[in-house]
Amino acid sequence: MENEGAVSSFMKVLVSDGERSARFYEGLGFERVQSEPPFLHLKWRGTADVYLVSMPSGVGMEDRRGVGVLLGFRTGEGGVDAVAALAAQGGVSFEGPTLQPWHTREIVITDPDGYRLNFIEPA
């Protein structure tokens, strides 16, 4: 049973401070869709859903999360340069842009909890 308009995939990431993380993502161009703690629902340019899930108080998180995983987003209009400019404007460092052998140009930005966000455009 297909539900038209339903999201077929999404990302859920555990964060230590939902509001801080939401501000970080919004600074990169994500749009806040819904805020109902412990979930903050964000959308990337209408194409990707990200759920920031705040950890309950008293629950510790490991130092680095998502080791070996990149959360990938196609940049769309403005490309990686536009995302890099927003990151720089917010004082956020990033890796790249890098021209990859698989014909993409990419930057990687690490969020406040250590998740690595990979923004991609065709090269």
Side-chain angles (χ1 to χ4, degrees), residues 3-19:
N3 182 0
E4 295 221 13
V7 174
S8 61
S9 61
F10 59 89
M11 291 164 256
K12 248 192 312 192
V13 293
L14 300 175
V15 297
S16 56
D17 182 331
E19 278 302 321

Side-chain angles (χ1 to χ4, degrees), residues 5-91:
V7 174
S8 61
S9 61
F10 59 89
M11 291 164 256
K12 248 192 312 192
V13 293
L14 300 175
V15 297
S16 56
D17 182 331
E19 278 302 321
R20 176 190 69 180
S21 292
R23 285 189 306 273
F24 176 87
Y25 281 77
E26 289 169 329
L28 296 175
F30 286 80
E31 175 189 349
R32 188 182 305 214
V33 176
Q34 186 177 13
S35 181
E36 197 170 314
F39 293 96
L40 286 157
H41 178 191
L42 304 172
K43 191 172 276 291
W44 173 253
R45 302 207 171 158
T47 62
D49 288 285
V50 177
Y51 292 88
L52 304 176
V53 184
S54 296
M55 293 295 294
S57 60
V59 174
M61 293 180 68
E62 301 300 320
D63 285 343
R64 188 151 187 220
R65 284 159 297 293
V67 174
V69 175
L70 292 171
L71 304 178
F73 303 95
R74 296 184 196 284
T75 56
E77 190 176 325
V80 296
D81 293 329
V83 178
L86 288 171
Q89 212 171 26

